[in-house]
Each structure stands twice: as C-alpha cells, then as structure tokens.
Amino acid sequence: MHPRIEDYALIGDEQTAALVGRDGSIDWLCLPRFDSAACFAKLLGDKNNGHWRIAPKGAEGPCARRAYRPGTLVLDTEWETDEGAVRVTDLMPQREAAPDVVRIVEGLRGRVTVRSTLRLRFDYGSIVPWMRRSDGHRVAVAGPDSTWLRSEPPVRTWGEDFCTYSEFTVEPGERVAFVLTWHPSHHPRPPLCDPFEGLETSVADWQAWSARCRYRGPYRDDVLRSLITLKALTYAPTGGIVAAATTSLPEELGGVRNWDYRFCWLRDSTLTLNALLAVGYLEEAEAWRDWLLRAVAGDPAELQIMYGLAGERRLPEYEVPWLAGFAGSAPVRIGNGAVKQRQLDVYGEVLDSLSLARRSGLPGKPHMWSLQALLLKFLRTEWHKPDEGLWEVRGGQRHFVHSKVMVWVAADRAVRGMEDDPNLHGDLDSWRALRDEVHAEVCAKGYDPVRNTFTQYYGSRELDAALLLIPRVGFLPPDDPRVVGTVDAVRAELDQGGFVRRYDAVDTDVDGLPGDEGAFLACSFWLADALHMTGRTEEARALFDRLVGLTNDVGLLAEEYDPVTDRHLGNFPQAFSHIGLVNTALALFGGEEAG
C-alpha cells in the first residue's frame, strides 16, 4: 500500500528538508535548497525514483514507535523484531559548508541485523548517478550533483541493481552512523561531518531555541511543535518561510489539484509575524519582515503573491511526466503559475505586516514607510478592478470580497500609522477617503441582506471561508449582526465533517478545476477564532481540540483533511496550518497558565 501523507515525519537544516516514513524510508529530499530538484522522489512516484531506507533486515511494515526528542527536530524511530530492538535516529545538522543527512542506528536489545538501501535518483527521480569508491566513501555523480556516503564505523557495503546496500548487526549500546553529504560535483569533497557530535549539537541547539518560547498555556507541546515546524520551514540565509516542504501532494486523491508549495507566500505574512512575535521569537520575526521588504521592493504594480526563497520572482510552472504522482495523483508540477496572478489582498497583507512590525517594536527600516505610501498610491487607482482572490483560483477574475476587505486593511493601517506617529508623512485625507469608500462598497455589494451574510464575490450566493477574517482584521466589530450571520453561514454551508472548506469547489466554477478537495485546516482554525470573537468560546475550544487531534503521531499537519477517509491531504507539513494552530491557541488560551 502507498503510504499516507500523515505517515511522514520531517527533518531539516533550515535550508531544506526531508520526509521520513514510518517504514524508515526517506522518500523526499531536495538538495541543496527546499526548491531544488529532489534526489529522493519516491513520495511522488515509486522506489525507482529514489529513496533511502534503514530498517531491520526483513522488516516490511511500519516501525513500532517513533517520536521527536522533546523540543527538537531530531527523530527517533524504534523497531521491535524477534531478534531484538533497534533505534534509528534521523537528523540534518545545521550546515556549515554542505548539507548532511545523518542516520544513526543503535542497538537496544538482542542482536539485530539491519539493512540500508540507498537508491539515489537526481533531478526528481529521473537520473541514475555514476557510483565509485573513494577514501572509504561511496560517491555518486550526475551532472551538477554529487553525494558522498560513509558509515562510522565502516560496515559491509556493496552496489547492486543501481542501489547501494549496507548490512550489519548491532547489539545493545552499539551504534553505526551513516552520513550522506551533497555538494556541487565540480567542487572538492566538503569537510566531514562528525555524526555523533552533530547529534549532540543539534539536540542542544533545538532545545535551547525551544526554551525561548514564551507560551505557557494549554496545548503547549502542540504549539511548540508547530513553532519548531515553522522554524524548520525557514530558509535561514534569507529569513523566508516556505509554505510547505513538498510539491504536488494532492488536495484530492487521484485528482489534479496538485501544486508546488516550496515558495514564500505574502498571504502568510501577517499571521506568521503575529505568531512569532507573540511567543517571543523576535529575531525570526525580524528576519521574515526583512525578507518581505526585500521581496516586494520595486514597482507596486509588479507586486507578486509569492516569491522564491531569496525573493526570486520567476517561478515558472511545468509538469514532470515521469512521476506518477502521490497515489497516482497526476500531474506532478514544479514551479507555480499562480505567481503571475493579480491578487489585491496581498497589498493589505504587506501593509498589515509592516504595521504589526512597527507596533511590536521591531527596528524600523529607512524605506519602510515610503514603500507603504507607494503601495497605497497604487491601490488608490487599482482597487476597483477584479482579481483572482487569495485562493489563486484559475476560473477567471472576480470582485472577491476578501480582496476588497484587505484593500480596506491597507488603507486603515496606513491611516492608523500616521495617527499614531506624527513624524510619518503621507496623504492622510486621501487614505481616509479610500478607506471609507472601500468599506461602503463592500457593505453594499458584498453583503446579502436576505441571508445576512457576506458573500464570496460581488453579486454571488457563494461563500468563502476567508470571510471569517472580517472581524479579525477589524473591518467590522465581532458583535455586528452581519459578522455573526456570516460566521453562522460559513459554518453551516461550508461544513465538512465539522471542519471548514475554503469554498464550494464542486457546485461552482469559481476555481476552474475539476474535482473536489478536503476541509482546509487553516480555515477551520479561523472558524475557531471567529466563534471565540463572537462570544462562543466553549464551542471554539471544542473545535480547536478536534483540530489538534488531527495532528499525526509526531504533531504535524498537512494543508487539508478528509473526514470521510480520515486522511491528510495537500502539501506537508503545511506552514499555514501550523500558523493557524499557534494563533488560535494564543487567542483562546494566551492569558492562561498551564495546569
């Protein structure tokens, strides 16, 4: 059987990440960056597209148990056999020169024979590298890529069927470490990584980082795991945070809703900043804010919805035909064509983020306010136009209500910034007028008085889970009857097993795609927030408890969930879902102490 999305755990070094299955196989790894081509792509194909499994010889099924070491991204996987028990510890130490994957096998009980099967396939599983021996290493080379594999102590290793096998036995207390190191093939071999020292350092560094978390309320372990996941999805050299570590994990099994999420979305900016600032990670918040400023610099008309890890603008989308897709869900896409979409809401996200950064006391930047003024000048003439909305629909432009609300947010944050700081300069009267004009139009054209709810776009009867953000961004107060009516309507009409869909993907043509999708976890957290804000805190807490219950055995969430099949769907782990968990916990329990 094909593994489920939730069968995977994450390891990484804040520049890339790998997915490790319950069967001990690394089935996804892109080197050297999150958005590089994968050298293990079994996740989206089969074993011939590359993987690395370490497990007791003859063990075909999943492990007996696994867990992260507390407060870390170091994964322990334990196996029980008739001969005894072993532990495999997986990690990617913080890199100095090159990325390393470290896998340490330790005997726990009895005498167990362990096998390592390394099947390297560069360029998303399409290229079989040339293998050779050198100084005790197995060296793989193909085009620009090279990897070096060694074990400490050396164990029996051989090549067969375009794979590299190792086999050895361990008794209690014995350890065998494998290190796989990548580097550009035209460079000399990078310095060797001490795997045992790397383990100690990684555990100490992660636990020191986790100790900085200020949140002490209920569900602290879940909140901390989400924060560790966000840290793991951060590209440390620039501060950018990718939406997920994967591409093309399906929103519907067997469907075509498969997208590349290994990029940085502006829609996540305010919610990410709020989470990091609220729990005390000011350094990470500042790095994300600075990435944002660099990425959006330039002509306001050219503002994109997403950027590359360092702010790259060109993210062309193409399909990879040799990969069958996760559980047969094709096509597999690399890059994301939605980068060229027009989404007016991102202007609001950027101004809201910069406003939050200023209010939170992050050090300012000389050009930050002038950038905001330029964005407002652009919106003043462009906000009347339709767009594709925050969900990147491919069914044509519309006057999406959420987009217009975020235009209001952009104007509101600029107005409030000048009102709070007399040293700031701008066209205050014009921005106030823009704020009032947008507000009036949204209330007139985006609200259905018969059903007492805002709608997905002007003149429609459809709903959108993004409407749940109306009270959160301050467009209307939570006790406004239109807000309460909207929350109730979304809850009733977009319900899927007690959770929330983004919108009706089947009965409308809004996204221009066939098929359906699961309940969107970030939107379900938004519903909990909205219930809390409208005075239904107990219901909000009950929903939050159910959402936390969806995390897999190591605390990770995908993008979506199918309550019918009880399966995770979409890219994994999903930053947006974990941001939702953190922010909702802060909203519901931020003033409480654990215990």
Side-chain angles (χ1 to χ4, degrees):
M1 292 181 62
H2 200 285
R4 303 169 302 171
I5 292 171
E6 59 268 30
D7 286 337
Y8 289 97
L10 181 80
I11 60 172
D13 63 1
E14 294 182 62
Q15 295 191 45
T16 191
L19 294 190
V20 187
R22 293 177 63 89
D23 62 350
S25 179
I26 298 179
D27 289 348
W28 182 254
L29 174 61
C30 301
L31 292 171
R33 306 190 341 167
F34 290 106
D35 57 351
S36 300
C39 63
F40 300 140
K42 181 185 174 186
L43 178 74
L44 300 177
D46 59 32
K47 66 179 183 179
N48 293 315
N49 298 123
H51 71 111
W52 184 13
R53 184 171 191 243
I54 297 181
K57 184 178 180 180
E60 299 298 331
C63 62
R65 67 191 68 87
R66 65 178 182 174
Y68 287 113
R69 298 196 182 183
T72 79
L73 201 67
V74 174
L75 180 70
D76 286 326
T77 301
E78 295 186 3
W79 301 83
E80 299 280 352
T81 73
D82 293 339
E83 290 73 32
V86 296
R87 176 190 298 124
V88 179
T89 299
D90 290 321
L91 66 145
M92 293 187 70
Q94 288 287 330
R95 72 176 74 172
E96 295 182 4
D100 299 293
V101 179
V102 173
R103 313 195 74 181
I104 300 174
V105 183
E106 181 177 1
L108 301 178
R109 176 174 53 82
R111 180 181 176 85
V112 181
T113 300
V114 177
R115 171 169 281 202
S116 166
T117 303
L118 174 66
R119 187 176 276 107
L120 281 161
R121 299 292 186 267
F122 295 122
D123 192 29
Y124 297 106
S126 68
I127 298 176
V128 180
W130 172 60
M131 302 290 295
R132 62 183 174 87
R133 297 171 184 251
S134 177
D135 297 330
H137 290 74
R138 294 277 174 161
V139 185
V141 177
D145 298 295
S146 180
T147 61
W148 294 64
L149 174 72
R150 79 179 196 278
S151 65
E152 292 188 12
V155 297
R156 176 174 172 253
T157 300
W158 71 99
E160 181 182 333
D161 299 329
F162 303 106
C163 291
T164 300
Y165 295 95
S166 301
E167 194 170 294
F168 54 96
T169 60
V170 288
E171 297 182 356
E174 290 184 339
R175 295 195 296 178
V176 174
F178 290 87
V179 182
L180 181 71
T181 303
W182 178 94
H183 70 97
S185 59
H186 60 283
H187 287 181
R189 186 193 71 187
L192 297 182
C193 163
D194 183 324
F196 304 109
E197 180 181 325
L199 172 60
E200 293 181 4
T201 301
S202 292
V203 169
D205 288 349
W206 274 110
Q207 289 182 342
W209 185 86
S210 296
R212 292 166 46 200
C213 176
R214 293 198 305 230
Y215 180 75
R216 295 292 184 269
Y219 301 91
R220 186 179 190 276
D221 289 346
D222 302 286
V223 169
L224 183 56
R225 178 53 51 194
S226 290
L227 291 166
I228 291 172
T229 303
L230 291 176
K231 179 72 168 172
L233 294 175
T234 300
Y235 185 64
T238 66
I241 301 175
V242 297
T246 57
T247 179
S248 298
L249 290 181
E251 297 174 12
E252 178 185 35
L253 292 178
V256 301
R257 298 167 181 265
N258 317 318
W259 315 108
D260 194 344
Y261 274 17
R262 297 170 299 159
F263 309 114
C264 308
W265 265 257
L266 298 192
R267 73 178 183 201
D268 303 357
S269 58
T270 305
L271 297 174
T272 302
L273 267 179
N274 183 76
L276 293 173
L277 289 167
V279 296
Y281 290 110
L282 303 185
E283 182 179 321
E284 289 75 12
E286 185 175 359
W288 171 242
R289 190 277 313 272
D290 290 349
W291 174 90
L292 181 66
L293 285 171
R294 292 191 302 270
V296 305
D299 186 348
E302 301 299 323
L303 189 69
Q304 298 184 176
I305 68 171
M306 72 183 87
Y307 296 84
L309 307 181
E312 298 92 343
R313 291 175 176 254
R314 295 185 182 181
L315 311 174
E317 181 180 304
Y318 62 94
E319 296 179 5
V320 178
W322 60 84
L323 291 176
F326 182 89
S329 305
V332 170
R333 294 183 174 95
I334 307 301
N336 200 310
V339 70
K340 294 301 182 182
Q341 285 191 353
R342 175 188 181 87
Q343 293 184 19
L344 291 173
D345 66 286
V346 298
Y347 294 87
E349 297 290 359
V350 171
L351 269 78
D352 199 15
S353 296
L354 298 181
S355 175
L356 174 61
R358 183 182 298 106
R359 297 195 312 271
S360 300
L362 291 182
K365 295 289 184 177
H367 61 286
M368 196 163 72
W369 181 253
S370 60
L371 170 64
Q372 295 174 79
L374 285 173
L375 295 177
L376 259 296
K377 182 179 180 181
F378 173 81
L379 279 181
R380 193 73 185 89
T381 58
E382 298 293 318
W383 77 271
H384 293 284
K385 297 179 180 179
D387 72 342
E388 277 91 359
L390 87 161
W391 301 129
E392 298 150 29
V393 299
R394 303 194 178 195
Q397 295 184 346
R398 291 170 168 81
H399 290 282
F400 286 101
V401 171
H402 174 263
S403 295
K404 307 299 187 187
V405 168
M406 294 308 295
V407 172
W408 177 91
V409 168
D412 177 72
R413 301 311 187 256
V415 168
R416 289 167 57 185
M418 286 194 66
E419 291 174 343
D420 293 341
D421 186 349
N423 294 317
L424 298 177
H425 301 284
D427 193 349
L428 182 57
D429 291 339
S430 175
W431 295 347
R432 282 174 173 158
L434 172 62
R435 181 176 64 174
D436 294 343
E437 183 182 359
V438 175
H439 197 281
E441 180 177 294
V442 169
C443 292
K445 296 182 178 181
Y447 174 71
D448 183 345
V450 176
R451 296 161 62 212
N452 187 31
T453 181
F454 286 92
T455 59
Q456 187 177 38
Y457 55 92
Y458 290 176
S460 73
R461 289 186 56 81
E462 285 76 32
L463 298 178
D464 191 315
L467 301 170
L468 295 169
L469 296 173
I470 286 176
R472 180 171 187 153
V473 300
F475 184 82
L476 287 173
D479 59 356
D480 189 293
R482 293 168 292 183
V483 169
V484 177
T486 299
V487 173
D488 291 341
V490 168
R491 189 183 191 186
E493 296 185 29
L494 296 183
D495 174 80
Q496 188 172 18
F499 303 107
V500 181
R501 292 172 292 153
R502 293 186 295 179
Y503 50 83
D504 189 338
V506 174
D507 295 331
T508 70
D509 62 352
V510 68
D511 64 14
L513 297 167
D516 201 357
E517 62 183 30
F520 204 80
L521 295 180
C523 297
S524 302
F525 283 113
W526 296 350
L527 175 59
D529 295 337
L531 289 171
H532 173 57
M533 294 184 74
T534 54
R536 291 168 279 186
T537 298
E538 290 307 311
E539 295 177 59
R541 292 184 172 185
L543 174 56
F544 180 78
D545 186 71
R546 291 187 62 210
L547 285 163
V548 171
L550 298 181
T551 60
N552 72 355
D553 60 311
V554 290
L556 303 181
L557 289 169
E559 179 183 28
E560 300 177 6
Y561 171 72
D562 182 356
V564 176
T565 61
D566 189 25
R567 296 275 301 264
H568 284 217
L569 296 171
N571 284 301
F572 178 86
Q574 178 81 359
F576 217 26
S577 299
H578 286 283
I579 292 165
L581 191 154
V582 174
N583 281 323
T584 301
L586 291 168
L588 294 177
F589 309 107
E592 298 185 15
E593 292 294 325

